[in-house]
Amino acid sequence: MKKETSFIRGHIDAYQVGLLSGWVYDESRPDAPISVSVYDGQSLVGGGVADIYREDLMQNGMGNGRHAFSIVLREPLDDGLHRLSLRESGTDIPIHVAPFEIRINQEWSAEISGVDAHAVMGQFRCTNPGKPSVSFAVFLDQIKIGEDTVGLNEKRDGYPFRYVLPAEAFDGMPHVISVVLADAQHQDVRAAYACVLGPIHAPWQSLLTDAKIANSLYAGLPVQATRRLAIFHDRMRAIMARGGNAEEIQNLMTVLQVLNEGYENRKKFPRLDLPRADNPDVSIIIPVHNKFELTYHCLASLIFSDNKCSYEVIVVDDCSKDKTTEIKDVVGNVEVIVNEENLGFLRNCNKAAQQARGRYILLLNNDTEVGNGWLDEMLAVFERFDKVGAVGAKLLYPNGKLQEAGGVVWDNGQPWNLGREGNPFDPQWNYVRQVDYLSGAALAVPRAVWDEVGGLSDEFAPAYYEDTDLAFKVRAAGYRTFYCPHAEVIHFEGMSHGRDTSTGFKKYQAINAPKFREKWADAYQNNGRVGAELWRNKERGVRFRALVIDYAIPQPDKDAGSYAAIQEMRLLQSHGFKLTFAAENLAHAGRYTADLQKMGVECIHAPFHVSIQDLLQKRGREFDLVYITRFDVAERHIDHIRKFTRAKVLFNNADLHFLRELRMHLSQGHTDLSGPLATRERELVLMRKVDAVLSYNESEHAVILSHNLRDDNIFKCPWVVPAHGHKTPFAEREGIAFLGGYRHLPNVEAVEFFVEKVMPALRAKGRDIKFHIFGSHPPKEFERFDSDDIVVEGYVESLDDVFEKCRVFIAPLLSGAGIKGKVLEAMSWGVPSVLSPVAAEATGLTNKISAMIAEEPEEWVDAILELYEDEKKWQFMSGNALTIARNNYSFEHGHKLMGKALGYLGFYAGKADAYAVAK
């Protein structure tokens, strides 16, 4: 029987308006405050410390009585049944509490639309509004600052509010504002909004006229200035890491000053130096006609932006009369083409492209300011997807509002700039997607594609519709056109050619429109009616739309389940699905969210949606499929999915939870199996509610069939791993290794078994073999294992550190279910493994042919030594395991497996390469 290191007990007293209260006590640490994690099923929903004093706890002999907690959950609980439990933070040890279940039946919702110069604004809604008014409370950083009452507005179908915030709140610092319905029957009706409350509110133009004010923290920086400070910090850190070149530092400081001062009324032009590139990756073409202050500002931003790729800048001077003629005296390393006659934007670009040296042609307006890393982000799209012919940037107004997120051409040939005047952080504008056209203000095309399609079409000279036409030519040649939201460019729209469409170059906007419509009528005729179903028409190259729900954003470098989730999304994309991903906590997970967005996945996060129910209620009609992982997650949302969508539900069980629980109970010697049996009933009921089930393990298919008496809708879930193979030879390897995420208790149990049972027997053989314990979140208890032959390595960024160094991989799992990603990784690297029967399940590995399977400690020792000391045997096992990985776990094989389940549901998409899938 497994011996527990400590017994932590507690109680959940109450849940009200997002606040969970109770107590936690560890009798082995009577005066220690316990860090608590709150789980709703398997989902982490909050955390805090049990350190509040309660006299009743003191009187009942609980140490110093400071063991109560009051925890604000990350998000309100949405409609449905919730089962809350507690674990100790860090160790993930379960805290023994009585079952706490709560069912939320929410008719009410709340939203905050924004904060103006003085007040927070928003609205409360009710599915059956009957009250003439409701009361609510306002909190600033979780501190109550006031109450108010608002009446029903029948025209707006809700209770709109506007609450004036106290003046002292406007301190230029970030704050979280929340509103909560005060009436107790409106349980957990709240909304939150994070923002910086600036003390001075003025147009950005006014701030830019005075550099001292614009640079003052007291005044509140313009949006672009705050971005520059972050870039400057990163650039300086990089320069200092290289030794701190004085000229480079001075150039950077001059550029920052130039950018913060702005282009307006500029009379002085300090010397700037662009980077030198003998063999540039990119040729940036900037056509100009006068307006040198704009061009100078644009070039300064190019210098300021930190990019790994190299570039040259070609300025095409279209008969300027101002200081543009002296540009080479002011800016170093700039290439200049001077026209003898005015050619206009289009012919200038084509002329410059003829002498460009880069592998990519990038058109850039001179009335722009580029963001940090913009060039790397655009090039990454070409690398990440196949058949990419053009990539456009996200265009912003100087005040931070969205100007353009790609373009759509409707079925009448009318083009629209998508997202205009919208929020640039809105999830719908922040994932890579295929679009109809991309603005020539910041547009990249591979040189080979540019030449193939003949560059910009001369029929649209001197300007307008040439970029739209180019996108259609690129697609007609068999390539794709992508919008890249992570490449941000501020566009001072109208500064070059003005806004009057009746004079100057702008008049060609009206002249060229009918030319474009006639030329491409066949290509755009099915693009949708003007303004209709923008959610459908803002992207191209997809056939179906799927909502993917899981408990958190995948972190593929932290756990195998996250890696699997990423691959499953890629497989769905390969079948023509546009994906919208929603984590239950609706958190933005930094680079992990950005990585999904760069794959072409729309990532929903707060405050744009406040719950999964909110998302389904507002956008449920968009989705053809809901792909949902883990039974407790599906259990919480299945009723809302059925209510608000007509989508088919494809459920990935990840593993049979009740089987995993049952095995853990038995391995620990527990005789009370009521918990696993209760989970079994919930899990099987859920499977009867969905349309199809994916499971990694064929043995689990049989278990499901035996209970639900149906197997026509159960399919093998694909697992994709690239067959890496290995480079490091047998003789240069040392040690045995295990890899796992230790918030998953079977991995903790496996390490403890191996250290306590197998390592002593291995030492008794007189062999000095080190055991390396890799993986994220190792519990504190592992510190006691540290010794000469046991090394707790912890998290590793690269799996090379595991599979290119160890000689034998082990997976001594005593419990668990599903398929084990760590085992498949070892197979894909061709590293021979010693496995428990549980670890070997569903992998296709055979004992003594492609892996060694062991149960008793003596069997483990014999198997490890055989592989560790016999190179011939090692090579035999390595080759066989790698062959299985190549045959059974390739992307192509996974595409076929996923296709079987999707075909059963009625989704047929044709060839795998017909859709853009991130590499």
Side-chain angles (χ1 to χ4, degrees):
M1 183 181 295
K2 180 178 173 67
K3 182 180 178 181
E4 297 193 40
T5 56
S6 62
F7 182 83
I8 309 175
R9 57 194 174 101
H11 190 268
I12 298 175
D13 296 335
Y15 170 78
Q16 188 174 14
V17 196
L19 193 69
L20 192 72
S21 58
W23 56 267
V24 172
Y25 176 65
D26 185 351
E27 56 192 12
S28 68
R29 298 172 285 170
D31 292 332
I34 305 299
S35 295
V36 179
S37 295
V38 182
Y39 283 79
D40 183 1
Q42 298 295 314
S43 300
L44 180 65
V45 294
V49 180
D51 60 356
I52 302 171
Y53 176 76
R54 267 181 33 187
E55 187 175 354
D56 62 319
L57 300 180
M58 182 79 170
Q59 291 174 350
N60 281 280
M62 294 187 191
N64 57 13
R66 302 186 67 86
H67 302 295
F69 63 80
S70 182
I71 296 172
V72 178
L73 301 189
R74 294 177 176 178
E75 296 291 338
L77 298 179
D78 57 11
D79 278 10
L81 180 65
H82 301 269
R83 295 178 175 86
L84 303 185
S85 61
L86 307 177
R87 302 180 195 174
E88 183 181 22
S89 302
T91 67
D92 219 33
I93 293 175
I95 296 170
H96 297 264
V97 298
F100 188 87
E101 294 187 352
I102 182 170
R103 182 176 292 279
I104 304 295
N105 185 11
Q106 195 106 280
E107 294 185 25
W108 291 80
S109 64
E111 62 181 28
I112 294 176
S113 57
V115 177
D116 65 11
H118 310 287
V120 57
M121 300 167 292
Q123 184 166 240
F124 295 103
R125 294 182 184 274
C126 181
T127 55
N128 297 297
K131 288 193 168 190
S133 64
V134 294
S135 298
F136 67 98
V138 182
F139 293 78
L140 185 68
D141 300 327
Q142 300 186 16
I143 298 173
K144 186 175 179 180
I145 59 173
E147 296 181 347
D148 202 355
T149 300
V150 291
L152 173 65
N153 185 320
E154 294 183 357
K155 290 184 178 180
R156 293 180 58 179
D157 193 28
Y159 301 80
F161 62 84
R162 185 177 187 275
Y163 185 88
V164 177
L165 299 170
E168 55 268 24
F170 293 87
D171 55 5
M173 300 297 290
H175 295 281
V176 176
I177 305 164
S178 53
V179 295
V180 182
L181 274 182
D183 193 332
Q185 69 173 319
H186 301 140
Q187 185 170 346
D188 213 34
V189 180
R190 59 168 51 212
Y193 190 84
C195 63
V196 174
L197 298 177
I200 290 179
H201 298 272
W204 67 270
Q205 294 95 333
S206 300
L207 295 178
L208 284 178
T209 58
D210 190 323
K212 291 181 180 179
I213 292 180
N215 286 301
S216 167
L217 288 175
Y218 174 76
L221 291 172
V223 173
Q224 64 268 37
T226 61
R227 297 172 188 266
R228 295 177 198 134
L229 287 177
I231 299 170
F232 182 76
H233 177 270
D234 290 344
R235 291 292 307 276
M236 284 296 295
R237 185 169 54 186
I239 292 171
M240 297 310 293
R242 296 194 298 267
N245 181 284
E247 291 183 1
E248 191 176 3
I249 292 173
Q250 182 58 55
N251 192 45
L252 187 65
M253 292 180 69
T254 302
V255 165
L256 177 61
Q257 181 180 351
V258 166
L259 292 174
N260 281 341
E261 288 174 351
Y263 62 85
E264 291 186 330
N265 303 313
R266 175 167 290 284
K267 303 300 181 185
K268 295 181 180 180
F269 300 91
R271 170 79 182 190
L272 302 176
D273 287 296
L274 287 159
R276 182 178 178 82
D278 295 326
N279 187 27
D281 297 310
V282 185
S283 294
I284 301 175
I285 297 172
I286 307 176
V288 303
H289 175 68
N290 294 323
K291 304 282 186 181
F292 180 66
E293 66 279 3
L294 278 170
T295 305
Y296 180 79
H297 188 92
C298 174
L299 295 177
S301 74
L302 288 173
I303 298 168
F304 197 58
S305 177
D306 189 20
N307 294 282
K308 293 182 175 62
C309 67
S310 60
Y311 62 89
E312 65 173 348
V313 176
I314 304 173
V315 172
V316 190
D317 179 8
D318 211 14
C319 302
S320 296
K321 303 298 184 183
D322 66 354
K323 200 172 178 65
T324 302
T325 59
E326 303 171 26
I327 187 171
K328 290 184 74 70
D329 298 329
V330 178
V331 182
N333 298 320
V334 62
E335 300 293 330
V336 180
I337 298 174
V338 179
N339 292 337
E340 295 181 0
E341 58 179 334
N342 197 305
L343 298 180
F345 178 87
L346 187 152
R347 289 171 178 156
N348 279 329
C349 291
N350 282 344
K351 182 177 182 179
Q354 291 176 3
Q355 73 173 53
R357 297 177 292 144
R359 292 183 296 114
Y360 295 91
I361 302 292
L362 193 143
L363 310 183
L364 184 67
N365 277 20
N366 70 328
D367 58 343
T368 57
E369 178 182 330
V370 301
N372 196 35
W374 73 295
L375 208 48
D376 287 343
E377 293 290 356
M378 292 180 80
L379 297 195
V381 178
F382 292 101
E383 298 299 323
R384 193 174 290 119
F385 297 90
D386 290 327
K387 300 181 181 178
V388 182
V391 174
K394 177 198 284 184
L395 301 182
L396 303 171
Y397 286 109
N399 65 0
K401 288 283 190 180
L402 181 61
Q403 184 180 116
E404 182 179 324
V408 59
V409 175
W410 299 102
D411 64 359
N412 65 350
Q414 181 181 349
W416 268 25
N417 297 335
L418 292 166
R420 199 173 190 88
E421 294 287 348
N423 187 329
F425 301 102
D426 191 324
Q428 68 174 318
W429 311 123
N430 280 290
Y431 62 99
V432 173
R433 68 185 199 282
Q434 295 184 69
V435 292
D436 289 340
Y437 75 93
L438 305 147
S439 171
L443 172 63
V445 180
R447 178 57 186 261
V449 176
W450 178 277
D451 290 342
E452 182 180 344
V453 302
L456 301 177
S457 298
D458 196 71
E459 64 198 284
F460 295 99
Y464 294 105
Y465 278 88
E466 73 285 344
D467 47 8
T468 317
D469 172 77
L470 178 63
F472 277 71
K473 289 202 301 182
V474 165
R475 282 195 302 279
Y479 301 97
R480 297 173 171 128
T481 51
F482 281 90
Y483 157 70
C484 176
H486 300 91
E488 295 188 339
V489 175
I490 295 170
H491 184 204
F492 306 98
E493 186 183 41
M495 299 307 298
S496 296
H497 295 151
R499 294 189 175 90
D500 187 350
T501 58
S502 64
T503 62
F505 280 113
K506 267 289 185 180
K507 68 182 180 182
Y508 289 98
Q509 194 167 350
I511 293 172
N512 286 341
K515 294 181 185 178
F516 170 81
R517 290 171 183 164
E518 182 179 0
K519 181 176 181 179
W520 295 108
D522 290 341
Y524 62 68
Q525 64 178 339
N526 297 316
N527 280 9
R529 296 189 309 276
V530 176
E533 294 188 316
L534 188 60
W535 59 269
R536 184 189 303 278
N537 290 297
K538 67 185 175 67
E539 58 208 333
R540 301 300 178 199
V542 297
R543 186 168 182 181
F544 311 111
R545 286 165 173 79
L547 172 63
V548 180
I549 305 175
D550 206 343
Y551 79 101
I553 287 282
Q555 300 183 17
D557 58 342
K558 299 290 181 64
D559 62 86
S562 290
Y563 171 84
I566 296 291
Q567 300 306 319
E568 287 152 23
M569 283 189 265
R570 292 180 65 233
L571 290 170
L572 287 172
Q573 287 179 323
S574 75
H575 282 276
F577 281 89
K578 173 264 174 111
L579 304 180
T580 298
F581 182 90
E584 282 195 298
N585 59 12
L586 294 179
H588 190 292
R591 68 179 177 89
Y592 296 107
T593 296
D595 286 346
L596 275 185
Q597 293 169 329
K598 292 174 185 180
M599 277 177 54
V601 179
E602 178 187 16
C603 294
I604 302 301
H605 58 83
F608 298 95
H609 288 283
V610 297
S611 66
I612 299 296
Q613 179 185 350
D614 174 56
L615 171 64
L616 291 167
Q617 195 166 355
K618 292 177 179 176
R619 294 183 53 186
R621 70 190 183 100
E622 295 180 21
F623 305 116
D624 305 296
L625 175 75
V626 175
Y627 186 94
I628 190 163
T629 302
R630 280 169 257 273
F631 95 90
D632 55 327
V633 177
E635 185 181 53
R636 284 190 287 275
H637 305 297
I638 185 65
D639 291 340
H640 294 138
I641 293 169
R642 294 305 191 197
K643 181 178 180 180
F644 297 118
T645 82
R646 295 182 178 179
K648 298 289 187 180
V649 179
L650 180 56
F651 167 61
N652 180 351
N653 76 336
D655 62 29
L656 271 181
H657 290 55
F658 84 81
L659 182 60
R660 171 163 46 84
E661 291 177 11
L662 181 63
R663 284 171 167 171
M664 180 167 284
H665 273 60
L666 294 175
S667 72
Q668 295 178 349
H670 297 308
T671 56
D672 181 6
L673 304 180
S674 58
L677 293 177
T679 300
R680 181 182 68 181
E681 181 60 23
R682 291 170 54 203
E683 201 165 5
L684 293 171
V685 166
L686 183 278
M687 290 184 187
R688 291 194 288 269
K689 290 184 176 182
V690 303
D691 296 298
V693 176
L694 288 173
S695 176
Y696 299 112
N697 191 328
E698 291 93 338
S699 299
E700 294 182 3
H701 294 190
V703 174
I704 298 168
L705 168 63
S706 69
H707 288 85
N708 281 353
L709 305 179
R710 180 183 180 185
D711 68 350
D712 64 304
N713 68 337
I714 303 173
F715 298 90
K716 176 74 179 289
C717 186
W719 192 294
V720 173
V721 288
H724 301 282
H726 58 264
K727 300 175 184 176
T728 309
F730 174 88
E732 296 177 18
R733 295 172 173 269
E734 66 87 20
I736 53 180
F738 176 75
L739 172 68
Y742 298 103
R743 286 180 175 171
H744 189 55
L745 294 182
N747 289 332
V748 176
E749 183 185 51
V751 169
E752 291 176 341
F753 163 77
F754 193 81
V755 170
E756 294 170 1
K757 301 295 185 182
V758 180
M759 284 301 291
L762 190 59
R763 293 184 189 114
K765 294 287 187 178
R767 297 291 285 109
D768 182 21
I769 300 175
K770 285 187 177 180
F771 175 37
H772 299 269
I773 304 170
F774 293 97
S776 59
H777 309 106
K780 202 165 187 179
E781 282 75 6
F782 279 13
E783 292 177 2
R784 62 192 170 95
F785 298 149
D786 263 322
S787 60
D788 291 341
D789 58 359
I790 299 176
V791 184
V792 181
E793 304 278 5
Y795 171 75
V796 285
E797 289 191 3
S798 172
L799 292 183
D800 284 14
D801 294 332
V802 181
F803 297 114
E804 285 291 0
K805 294 181 179 180
C806 76
R807 187 172 290 182
V808 175
F809 183 77
I810 64 165
L813 297 168
L814 304 181
S815 62
I819 197 169
K820 314 306 176 292
K822 59 183 71 65
V823 176
L824 301 184
E825 283 290 351
M827 293 166 59
S828 75
W829 290 79
V831 177
S833 301
V834 182
L835 311 171
S836 67
V838 170
E841 273 184 350
T843 60
L845 295 169
T846 304
N847 188 30
K848 297 188 177 182
I849 302 297
S850 47
M852 303 291 279
I853 299 176
E855 292 191 71
E856 299 301 323
E858 295 78 12
E859 294 177 318
W860 276 95
V861 171
D862 291 343
I864 289 170
L865 291 179
E866 184 175 354
L867 281 176
Y868 204 85
E869 296 175 347
D870 186 340
E871 181 175 357
K872 187 175 181 181
K873 184 74 170 180
W874 191 94
Q875 296 287 4
F876 174 74
M877 293 276 191
S878 171
N880 289 342
L882 189 55
T883 297
I884 295 173
R886 286 177 175 144
N887 291 339
N888 295 356
Y889 299 103
S890 67
F891 189 85
E892 292 72 22
H893 185 70
H895 176 83
K896 292 177 183 178
L897 288 180
M898 185 66 79
K900 291 181 180 179
L902 294 173
Y904 171 82
L905 296 174
F907 301 112
Y908 300 97
K911 295 181 179 180
D913 63 353
Y915 305 98
V917 182
K919 298 176 186 175

